[in-house]
Structure formats: structure tokens, C-alpha cells
Amino acid sequence: MTELRKGYLFGLGAYVLWGFMPVYIKQLHEAGSVEILAHRVVWSVVLVALLLLALRRGRQLQALVRQPRKLAAIAFAAALLAVNWWMYIYGVNSDRVVETALGYFINPLVTVVLGVTVLRERLRPAQWVAVGIGAAAVAVLTIDYGRLPYIALTLAVSFGGYGLVKKRLKLAAAEGLLVESGVLAIPSLAYLIWLTSTPDSTFGDEPHTTILLVLAGAVTAIPLLFFAGAANRLPLSALGILQYLTPIFQLALGVFLYHEPMPPARLAGFALVWLALIVFTADGFRTARANARANQRAKTKELATT
């Protein structure tokens, strides 16, 4: 099997697992959002620590721990990830799977806006058009919902910010996930210990719920590791297309499995989002081809002059 094919399989695995995440979370409806989040953090640390121990990659981790500035950035990334995870769990368990799907549809547009505001990047005209259409979609959906789609916007902004920090840190997937989860593990563990002294804890009450809470670490870590495998083998354009699988699956689950409403105004808002993504993606492909042709011409010219 070629490395490219492995990359596509890893990518499909990651995005399909993320796409069906609402099914897993719905099974934990008896547990509160914070309890699910805390278990997700704690069991992720356990699983990834065992993985790194088996792979004997402790030296890389030790070198990372000795860099205070990088640790501070990782702590900020961990906070953004915690907000993203909590809001996602809250959205699914409050029967707003469709709105969580919207968050991941508009995430690429938010990432572009963050590039302009934080990294001072310049947008191409087509990218400005895509962002404008996306803003119109949010306005339409705000009118439909009677409020800002705050779950979708929080998911998009927090994950976009997390991706921005991760891009600048350039950490390996397993080591990064361990340190991020480790930052959150102490307050998460403290919360779970406190929760066991109250009637609200669901851990240990029923075998079904307890097993699913323990599996939260694997459910969190496996897609991230698959994603790392895909990112190391696939071009960015291929990853960009594959990422739309997750919200497509989530939208389908919300409408067809959980029967969440999709009135005409909401459908129009989603249609605008999809139009913005088409413009955004088409411009990305066009730019990538133009850059490839320019690089080829430069190489040809260099060879001709040598």
C-alpha cells in the first residue's frame, strides 16, 4: 500500500469517527457535559501516556517540558480545546447537533479571518467573497434562530484558534495531546473526585455509562492520531476537502436520526455556508495549480541556465 493511500485511509478514519461522535455522546445523556469533558481529559492522558511509554518517546517529552514559553502556549491551546469540547458536548446533549455541524462548516472561514486579524495575512478577492457570504449566512441563521448561533460560532472560533496555536507550535500529535490534556488533567481529576461525593456523579452507577466514560480517552485520542497520520502523508488541499466529511455526517445525523428541525430559512443559511465553502475551496485549488505551474516554470528556467 502506498503512503498516499495510507494517508487517505487515515484521513477518512479521523473524519468519519469525528462525524459520528454525536452517537457516542448521546449514549452519555445521563452524565453532565462537564463530567463527560473531565473524563475525556483524564482518560486521554492515561491512554496517550501509555502509548508514548510503549514507543519510548519520553526524551522528546522531557525536552518539551523544559521550554516554559512553549508550555504557556500549549496551556492556551488546551484552554481553547476544553472550550471546544465542552461546547460540542453541550450542543449534542441539548439536541443541537445541526448547529454543531454548522460550527465545523464555517470553521475554515473563521480560520481565514484569524489569519487576517492575528497573522496579518492578505486575502485574495475570492476569499473576501467567501467570508462575506459566510457573514450573510450567519445573519440569516441569526434571524432564523432568533439569536446568534452561539454554539456554532464558539465551536468555529475555539477550534480555529486551537489550530492557529498548534500550527505555530508545530508539535507531534501524541506529545502535544499529552501535554495539552495534562494541563487540564489536574482540575479535571479534582472535579471528578469532588463529583463522586455528590449524587450527580454517574461514574460507577451503571456499567454501560461507566465503560463509555472510560472509553472517552480512546474516542478522543484515536481520531487525533489518525489525523496526524493523514497530515504527514496528504497534501493540504486533500485534507481541506476531507474535513467537510465531519459536518456532513453530523448534519445528516441531526436531521435524519435525531429529527432536529430544518425549516426553509435555516436551510437557506446552510446553503449560503456551502456556497461560501465552494468559492473558498475553488479558489484554493486554482491558487495551488497556479503556484505549481509557477514553480515548474522556475525549475525549468533554472535548468536551462545551468
Side-chain angles (χ1 to χ4, degrees), residues 84 91 102:
N84 184 270
L102 173 64

Side-chain angles (χ1 to χ4, degrees), residues 25-26 28-29 31-33 36 88-95:
I25 293 175
K26 285 281 190 181
L28 289 167
H29 62 277
S33 300
I36 298 172
Y88 182 77
I89 295 166
Y90 170 77
V92 170
N93 279 343
S94 59
D95 300 323

Side-chain angles (χ1 to χ4, degrees), residues 6-304:
K6 286 181 182 178
Y8 276 110
L9 289 175
F10 278 131
L12 285 171
Y15 288 117
V16 169
L17 286 173
W18 279 329
F20 282 93
M21 188 72 74
V23 177
Y24 166 78
I25 293 175
K26 285 281 190 181
Q27 301 302 309
L28 289 167
H29 62 277
E30 294 181 359
S33 300
V34 179
E35 183 180 9
I36 298 172
L37 172 61
H39 278 286
R40 193 171 180 178
V41 169
V42 170
W43 295 112
S44 293
V45 171
V46 174
L47 179 66
V48 179
L50 290 174
L51 177 63
L52 289 176
L53 186 63
L55 295 175
R56 298 181 180 179
R57 283 160 61 175
R59 289 184 179 179
Q60 294 92 325
L61 190 61
Q62 290 175 5
L64 181 60
V65 172
R66 296 193 189 101
Q67 302 176 60
R69 292 184 63 181
K70 189 166 283 190
L71 284 176
I74 292 173
F76 181 60
L80 290 172
L81 191 61
V83 170
N84 184 270
W85 284 355
W86 176 81
M87 185 57 74
Y88 182 77
I89 295 166
Y90 170 77
V92 170
N93 279 343
S94 59
D95 300 323
R96 298 177 190 176
V97 176
V98 169
E99 191 174 343
T100 65
L102 173 64
Y104 292 108
F105 273 125
I106 66 177
N107 174 249
L109 303 177
V110 170
T111 300
V112 169
V113 173
L114 287 174
V116 173
T117 56
V118 179
L119 301 180
R120 305 299 181 187
E121 295 177 352
R122 291 186 177 183
L123 296 189
R124 296 183 294 274
Q127 291 177 311
W128 278 115
V129 170
V131 171
I133 296 172
V138 172
V140 170
L141 290 165
T142 298
I143 294 171
D144 173 63
Y145 282 114
R147 57 169 174 80
L148 273 173
Y150 64 89
I151 291 176
L153 291 175
T154 302
L155 287 172
V157 172
S158 59
F159 198 71
Y162 172 74
L164 179 64
V165 176
K166 291 284 282 186
K167 179 181 178 181
R168 302 183 81 168
L169 287 172
K170 297 180 180 179
L171 297 175
E175 287 85 345
L177 179 60
L178 179 61
V179 178
E180 290 163 7
S181 300
V183 169
L184 303 171
I186 295 176
S188 296
L189 186 59
Y191 172 78
L192 290 176
I193 292 172
W194 171 82
L195 193 65
T196 55
S197 65
T198 72
D200 297 325
S201 176
T202 60
F203 189 78
D205 288 349
E206 294 182 5
H208 172 76
T209 301
T210 301
I211 291 171
L212 287 177
L213 288 173
V214 172
L215 289 176
V219 169
T220 299
I222 290 173
L224 285 171
L225 296 174
F226 279 179
F227 176 78
N232 291 334
R233 293 172 174 86
L234 293 179
L236 193 59
S237 58
L239 276 178
I241 294 298
L242 285 176
Q243 75 173 338
Y244 297 133
L245 288 175
T246 294
I248 287 172
F249 283 127
Q250 292 174 351
L251 179 63
L253 288 173
V255 174
F256 298 112
L257 182 61
Y258 301 121
H259 307 292
E260 294 184 16
M262 180 63 80
R266 193 165 305 169
L267 186 59
F270 270 86
L272 284 172
V273 171
W274 295 327
L275 176 60
L277 292 176
I278 290 171
V279 172
F280 177 76
T281 304
D283 175 71
F285 275 118
R286 183 181 60 80
T287 304
R289 289 195 193 100
N291 290 339
R293 287 194 295 267
N295 290 335
Q296 186 61 42
R297 285 195 298 268
K299 288 180 181 178
T300 303
K301 184 176 180 180
E302 183 180 349
L303 289 172

